[in-house]
Amino acid sequence: MKWVYIEDISIYKDQEVEIRGWVFNKRSSGKVRFLVVRDGTGILQGTIFSTEKDSPLFEKFDVLTQESSLILRGCVREDKRAPGGFELTIKEIEILQLAKDYPITPKSHGIPFLMEHRHLWLRSQKQHAILQIRVELIKAIRDFFDGRGFRLMDTPILTPSACEGTTTLFETEYFDQKAYLSQSGQLYNEATAMAFGKVYCFGPTFRAEKSKTRKHLIEFWMVEPEVAFATLEDMIKLGEDLIISIIERVLDRKKIELDILERDTKPLESIKKPFPCITYDEAIKRLKEKGSKMEWGDDFGAPEETLISELFERPVCITHFPAKIKAFYMQPAPERPDLVLGIDVLASEGYGEIIGGGQRIHDLSLLEEKIKEYNLPREAYEWYFDLRKFGSVPHSGFGLGIERMLAWICKIKHIRETIPFPRLIYKIYP
Amino acid sequence: MKWVYIEDISIYKDQEVEIRGWVFNKRSSGKVRFLVVRDGTGILQGTIFSTEKDSPLFEKFDVLTQESSLILRGCVREDKRAPGGFELTIKEIEILQLAKDYPITPKSHGIPFLMEHRHLWLRSQKQHAILQIRVELIKAIRDFFDGRGFRLMDTPILTPSACEGTTTLFETEYFDQKAYLSQSGQLYNEATAMAFGKVYCFGPTFRAEKSKTRKHLIEFWMVEPEVAFATLEDMIKLGEDLIISIIERVLDRKKIELDILERDTKPLESIKKPFPCITYDEAIKRLKEKGSKMEWGDDFGAPEETLISELFERPVCITHFPAKIKAFYMQPAPERPDLVLGIDVLASEGYGEIIGGGQRIHDLSLLEEKIKEYNLPREAYEWYFDLRKFGSVPHSGFGLGIERMLAWICKIKHIRETIPFPRLIYKIYP
């Protein structure tokens, strides 16, 4: 008999099939037993009908516990009342293992308990839905860049120097020297962009931040495009298109999962281009009007990000930041060299920064000055200077944090549920 | 005027366009100047015709050096003699930067020099071709698994314990404890496979190996599928299908790049299912016939892998290894418990192991025994035991190393050219 996956069940209408999975739920009603199983791709209701109380199938049904593993054989029937529109008339139950005292029961558990059991918690309907949306979100991003001719160029994790300061770096011995876990593939992207025109990297990044917030992971995935000859304005457009493309794709293909999460999708459906775009100066003015104590020159914290995003129904772009709060490689604004051509995109609904990037310095002497000003070791950046010596061109890029984007799309409170095995401060198990 | 990429040039036949890129080459012939530019997506020949020796375009042409950055404007002409079938009649040259003394000239350079200049070496035609094939290979893999309903489940890089021994691990401080860089996502894949049925992870992995060979990278990318309810036989088929799918896709879409590499594609074209499949016992017998000194119980080294792969014209699967040379989680063979249901796939043409995997132990008490036997800390594996307590099922998976697969497809000698920024022993710059 053919082993099939539940997500393909409609193809096998009126056929005998084999389903391999785990007990999700069960209930009895008179002469009928309902056995709900999951196989990872979906949930299917199986039915057993018998007039005899001691039917062998009933006996097997009776001993089954939550998450017991089994193989079911039976006939696929269309039934509009069944969830998904199909059910299985069970003819045979082969029990592989009876699960005893499965720790995660339908009653509610505390978060520390669930986090300790993340390897099992993943099987729960809500966690399953979030991660299915993650799968779609990642595919949407790859299709977006691949479809526009961007080349995927993997950047290294083990790096000899820091991209944005050294305080939040993980360090390791690398044979006879030190290496650090990458916080961004950007500097390397700049090299590959000069070789391939438009590139992106997409991998895990690491920040050893001691802050304990709902928005920070120690290890998170980031996609970073970089485009030779592109300017700040090009990045605003690229970021808008990317965000809209992700949202449209998830709304289109992950309706069931968004329903499971009880996500009100109206705020997502209404997002259109162009996003409101304000300068840092303007943002400060607006914040002060709202009673914020923030002064010009301060960096935004989570409360400020929330305040700004609440002013708009769409994601908002902020540009032209004070140079001193941004990284050394940012291109100064032509008429205000105290500002840089950076861009942050804040998600709506208070989800904070999802994109950070901008235009990079392409002038060699200006970059050399900045390296000095930021007190960075020149020898570590020799190769980076080379990019400004041999055919330098204006270029720009940004990074989008996958987990923050996903938290927003799913409208979940804490970022820890957006990745299979979250790494948080002091938290590395399982 | 519209900025277009060279790979799209055929769309703009007889139109005025702007090309932004770098000088690849130039030559003169009487009243014509040929300026060959690259923009990362392709190479295009531009022509300047003039009867006057001091034409302003000729003057600009004369000062251009290799890798100078520029913007060309002109008209796209179809010309069968031109490489790619199109050329640009140049009307305007805007020089952005004249590159002075570009280090990588058409003369040959030593490998250490090229490795020190990897950030520029990437622009060379051969390196560019290899990495374009890498892009296609990775897409082929993702499409293969996505098309078969596998869910991408990212596994963590920072882990509290080792998957295959501790001697080759990178260690880092993780707040108040130690963490190690992952050598494989397998153990975590086993958890997500129980939640999603069929999964894969695809990310960087790390082995601090002190060996200096042509086949080892310190940091490399690996794709690892894992399937609940699957057996060793299922993995042999999945691995065959995956390898064939990658090869067909690259042969189909990357002909130009394979030509640049002067790859004789006949050995790849002839690869078909099924792959020859021999047991470890049989492999030892064959090796001894060929004069190898290897004894039963020894692990294969590179010379043995080459010897075996030379016996066949297709990749070869080896199964049923002695338990003692394999990892603790491998399922014993039913009738020979001294052997395990592992599988290695060796590439043809002497490229060695590209796949390693097999069936995992799903019996709790057997796994507990193995953890003791291998002297591993039980507490680190409590979550892994849970997978055997709550609905345990037979399951299998494998890992395929991207760079080794790419080295074989491109038939290049050293794996360092298969990744944008290779990490080798003592080598972490740029």
Side-chain angles (χ1 to χ4, degrees):
Chain A
M1 207 172 290
K2 194 175 178 187
W3 168 26
V4 306
Y5 283 100
I6 293 172
E7 65 179 345
D8 303 323
I9 202 79
S10 64
I11 305 169
Y12 300 95
K13 191 182 153 186
D14 299 324
Q15 292 179 43
E16 306 256 306
V17 299
E18 186 173 292
I19 298 286
R20 304 181 182 183
W22 296 267
V23 175
F24 190 71
N25 213 339
K26 64 176 195 175
R27 65 197 158 83
S28 303
S29 172
K31 291 174 183 120
V32 192
R33 301 288 178 273
F34 295 97
L35 181 61
V36 184
V37 294
R38 61 166 198 90
D39 74 348
T41 74
I43 285 173
L44 182 69
Q45 179 169 283
T47 56
I48 312 164
F49 178 84
S50 178
T51 48
E52 296 158 56
K53 271 197 174 167
D54 56 353
S55 113
L57 277 180
F58 277 12
E59 279 172 15
K60 283 196 173 172
F61 174 91
D62 287 342
V63 300
L64 286 173
T65 52
Q66 193 194 348
E67 284 302 318
S68 289
S69 49
L70 42 66
I71 298 176
L72 295 182
R73 297 182 187 92
C75 190
V76 180
R77 303 282 182 211
E78 194 163 12
D79 189 329
K80 293 207 173 67
R81 297 162 303 175
F86 289 87
E87 59 177 30
L88 190 78
T89 307
I90 297 173
K91 299 199 171 157
E92 207 179 317
I93 299 175
E94 183 182 331
I95 299 173
L96 298 185
Q97 188 194 40
L98 290 174
K100 205 181 149 199
D101 303 328
Y102 184 68
I104 303 175
T105 58
K107 73 161 190 165
S108 76
H109 299 277
I111 285 293
F113 180 85
L114 291 170
M115 288 289 281
E116 280 296 298
H117 293 85
R118 183 65 180 167
H119 52 293
L120 303 175
W121 193 21
L122 295 171
R123 305 180 186 183
S124 302
Q125 209 174 6
K126 194 181 150 197
Q127 299 307 311
H128 199 270
I130 295 167
L131 293 179
Q132 293 269 38
I133 295 172
R134 180 185 169 98
V135 169
E136 196 64 47
L137 181 146
I138 291 173
K139 263 196 239 179
I141 291 171
R142 292 193 179 270
D143 288 348
F144 176 86
F145 286 114
D146 293 346
R148 288 172 176 235
F150 282 71
R151 268 65 169 176
L152 172 72
M153 285 293 137
D154 296 311
T155 51
I157 303 298
L158 292 168
T159 54
S161 57
C163 182
E164 300 186 34
T166 54
T167 51
T168 58
L169 280 176
F170 286 105
E171 185 185 288
T172 187
E173 301 281 334
Y174 191 88
F175 305 101
D176 56 351
Q177 51 190 304
K178 299 273 181 210
Y180 305 92
L181 301 194
S182 175
Q183 300 192 315
S184 161
Q186 181 206 316
L187 303 193
Y188 293 98
N189 271 348
E190 294 181 54
T192 56
M194 300 305 140
F196 294 86
K198 37 190 176 177
V199 300
Y200 70 104
C201 66
F202 196 166
T205 43
F206 305 86
R207 303 214 178 158
E209 283 185 85
K210 285 224 165 148
S211 60
K212 203 172 176 174
T213 81
R214 293 185 288 111
K215 290 180 183 174
H216 286 89
L217 288 170
I218 299 300
E219 178 179 335
F220 60 100
W221 282 67
M222 186 154 66
V223 63
E224 295 175 87
E226 187 79 26
V227 185
F229 300 97
T231 60
L232 176 68
E233 288 65 39
D234 295 322
M235 288 307 103
I236 294 175
K237 286 188 198 125
L238 189 69
E240 276 177 357
D241 286 349
L242 173 62
I243 289 170
I244 285 177
S245 164
I246 293 170
I247 289 174
E248 282 179 353
R249 171 91 163 245
V250 170
L251 287 175
D252 182 43
R253 302 197 190 176
K254 290 289 140 191
K255 213 191 151 342
I256 293 168
E257 287 79 2
L258 291 166
D259 281 350
I260 289 169
L261 301 175
E262 298 173 353
R263 170 57 154 133
D264 173 10
T265 54
K266 275 193 212 80
L268 295 177
E269 283 156 23
S270 68
I271 290 171
K272 288 191 177 53
K273 287 196 290 188
F275 296 169
C277 202
I278 59 175
T279 61
Y280 173 89
D281 286 1
E282 173 80 11
I284 293 292
K285 206 183 111 206
R286 300 272 199 119
L287 283 169
K288 283 188 168 171
E289 285 166 10
K290 290 269 165 192
S292 166
K293 298 254 181 294
M294 208 174 142
E295 291 298 328
W296 198 94
D298 293 347
D299 206 353
F300 301 124
E304 290 78 26
E305 288 182 0
T306 305
L307 261 176
I308 296 170
S309 76
E310 281 169 0
L311 297 173
F312 305 94
E313 289 194 346
R314 302 176 183 183
V316 50
C317 307
I318 306 174
T319 64
H320 296 79
F321 296 86
K324 62 171 187 166
I325 62 167
K326 290 286 180 182
F328 71 93
Y329 47 70
M330 289 234 181
Q331 175 74 16
E335 324 214 321
R336 285 271 306 272
D338 59 323
L339 303 182
V340 289
L341 300 178
I343 177 187
D344 279 5
V345 180
L346 308 184
S348 41
E349 301 177 80
Y351 274 84
E353 189 196 323
I354 43 174
I355 278 182
Q359 193 168 330
R360 328 301 189 182
I361 291 174
H362 62 279
D363 181 77
L364 178 63
S365 51
L366 180 57
L367 186 69
E368 286 175 324
E369 260 174 50
K370 288 282 174 183
I371 288 277
K372 259 186 217 157
E373 191 185 316
Y374 281 71
N375 234 339
L376 294 165
R378 194 193 149 99
E379 60 285 4
Y381 293 92
E382 282 301 340
W383 68 268
Y384 192 64
F385 290 136
D386 277 357
L387 306 178
R388 277 77 183 168
K389 283 181 196 161
F390 305 111
S392 189
V393 302
H395 59 286
S396 306
F398 63 76
L400 173 123
I402 301 311
E403 287 79 12
R404 288 213 186 156
M405 182 77 196
L406 184 59
W408 170 37
I409 285 190
C410 296
K411 207 174 179 180
I412 48 180
K413 278 200 183 131
H414 201 297
I415 201 163
R416 66 187 159 220
E417 296 180 30
T418 58
I419 189 165
F421 296 94
R423 295 298 179 239
L424 302 164
I425 182 168
Y426 301 115
K427 168 85 191 130
I428 197 177
Y429 177 93
Chain B
M1 208 174 290
K2 195 175 179 188
W3 169 24
V4 306
Y5 283 99
I6 294 173
E7 66 179 344
D8 304 323
I9 201 79
S10 64
I11 304 170
Y12 300 96
K13 191 184 153 185
D14 299 324
Q15 292 179 42
E16 305 257 307
V17 299
E18 186 174 292
I19 298 288
R20 305 181 183 184
W22 297 266
V23 174
F24 190 71
N25 212 339
K26 64 176 194 174
R27 65 197 157 85
S28 303
S29 173
K31 294 176 180 117
V32 193
R33 301 288 178 275
F34 295 97
L35 180 61
V36 184
V37 295
R38 62 168 198 87
D39 74 349
T41 74
I43 286 173
L44 181 68
Q45 178 170 283
T47 56
I48 312 164
F49 178 85
S50 179
T51 49
E52 297 157 56
K53 271 196 173 167
D54 55 353
S55 111
L57 278 180
F58 276 14
E59 279 173 14
K60 283 196 172 169
F61 173 90
D62 287 342
V63 299
L64 286 172
T65 52
Q66 193 193 348
E67 284 301 318
S68 290
S69 49
L70 43 65
I71 298 177
L72 295 181
R73 298 185 185 91
C75 189
V76 180
R77 304 282 181 211
E78 193 163 12
D79 189 328
K80 292 206 172 70
R81 295 162 305 174
F86 289 88
E87 60 177 30
L88 190 78
T89 306
I90 296 173
K91 299 198 173 160
E92 207 180 316
I93 300 176
E94 184 182 330
I95 298 174
L96 299 184
Q97 189 193 39
L98 288 175
K100 205 183 148 199
D101 302 328
Y102 185 67
I104 303 175
T105 57
K107 72 160 190 164
S108 76
H109 298 276
I111 285 293
F113 180 85
L114 291 170
M115 288 288 282
E116 280 295 298
H117 292 86
R118 182 65 180 166
H119 51 293
L120 303 175
W121 192 23
L122 295 171
R123 305 179 186 183
S124 302
Q125 209 175 8
K126 194 181 150 195
Q127 299 306 312
H128 199 270
I130 294 168
L131 294 178
Q132 293 269 38
I133 296 172
R134 181 183 168 100
V135 169
E136 195 64 47
L137 181 147
I138 291 173
K139 262 197 239 178
I141 291 171
R142 293 195 178 269
D143 288 349
F144 177 87
F145 287 114
D146 294 345
R148 288 174 177 232
F150 283 71
R151 268 65 169 176
L152 173 72
M153 285 292 138
D154 296 311
T155 51
I157 303 297
L158 291 167
T159 54
S161 56
C163 182
E164 299 186 34
T166 52
T167 51
T168 58
L169 280 176
F170 286 106
E171 186 184 288
T172 185
E173 301 282 332
Y174 190 89
F175 305 101
D176 57 350
Q177 52 191 304
K178 298 273 182 211
Y180 305 92
L181 301 194
S182 175
Q183 301 192 315
S184 160
Q186 182 207 315
L187 303 192
Y188 293 98
N189 270 348
E190 293 181 55
T192 55
M194 301 303 140
F196 293 85
K198 38 190 175 177
V199 300
Y200 71 103
C201 65
F202 196 166
T205 43
F206 305 86
R207 303 212 177 158
E209 283 185 84
K210 285 227 165 145
S211 60
K212 202 173 176 174
T213 80
R214 292 185 290 112
K215 290 181 183 174
H216 285 89
L217 287 170
I218 299 299
E219 177 178 335
F220 60 100
W221 282 68
M222 185 154 67
V223 61
E224 295 176 87
E226 188 78 27
V227 185
F229 299 98
T231 60
L232 176 68
E233 287 67 37
D234 296 321
M235 287 308 104
I236 294 174
K237 285 187 198 126
L238 189 69
E240 275 177 356
D241 286 349
L242 173 62
I243 289 169
I244 284 177
S245 164
I246 294 170
I247 289 174
E248 283 179 352
R249 172 89 162 246
V250 171
L251 287 176
D252 183 41
R253 302 196 189 177
K254 290 290 139 190
K255 210 188 153 344
I256 292 168
E257 287 79 2
L258 291 166
D259 280 350
I260 290 170
L261 301 174
E262 298 173 352
R263 171 58 154 134
D264 173 11
T265 54
K266 276 193 211 82
L268 296 176
E269 283 156 22
S270 68
I271 290 171
K272 289 193 174 54
K273 284 196 293 188
F275 295 168
C277 202
I278 59 174
T279 61
Y280 173 89
D281 287 3
E282 173 80 10
I284 293 291
K285 207 182 112 206
R286 299 273 199 120
L287 283 169
K288 283 188 168 171
E289 286 167 9
K290 289 270 164 190
S292 164
K293 297 255 180 296
M294 209 174 143
E295 291 298 326
W296 196 95
D298 294 345
D299 206 354
F300 299 125
E304 288 79 25
E305 287 182 1
T306 305
L307 261 177
I308 294 169
S309 77
E310 282 170 359
L311 296 172
F312 305 94
E313 291 194 343
R314 301 176 184 184
V316 50
C317 307
I318 306 174
T319 65
H320 296 80
F321 295 86
K324 63 170 185 166
I325 60 167
K326 289 288 180 183
F328 71 92
Y329 47 69
M330 289 233 180
Q331 175 73 15
E335 325 215 319
R336 286 271 306 271
D338 59 324
L339 302 183
V340 289
L341 300 179
I343 176 186
D344 279 5
V345 180
L346 308 184
S348 40
E349 302 177 77
Y351 274 84
E353 188 195 323
I354 43 174
I355 277 182
Q359 193 168 329
R360 328 301 190 184
I361 291 174
H362 62 279
D363 181 76
L364 177 62
S365 50
L366 180 57
L367 186 68
E368 287 175 323
E369 259 174 50
K370 289 283 175 182
I371 287 277
K372 258 187 219 158
E373 192 185 316
Y374 280 71
N375 235 338
L376 295 165
R378 194 192 150 99
E379 61 285 4
Y381 294 91
E382 281 302 339
W383 69 270
Y384 192 63
F385 290 136
D386 277 358
L387 306 177
R388 278 75 183 168
K389 283 181 195 160
F390 305 111
S392 189
V393 302
H395 59 287
S396 307
F398 63 76
L400 173 121
I402 301 312
E403 288 79 12
R404 288 210 184 159
M405 183 75 195
L406 183 60
W408 170 38
I409 285 191
C410 296
K411 206 171 180 183
I412 48 180
K413 278 198 182 134
H414 199 297
I415 200 163
R416 66 188 158 217
E417 297 180 28
T418 59
I419 188 166
F421 295 94
R423 296 298 178 238
L424 301 164
I425 182 167
Y426 301 115
K427 169 84 192 131
I428 198 179
Y429 176 93

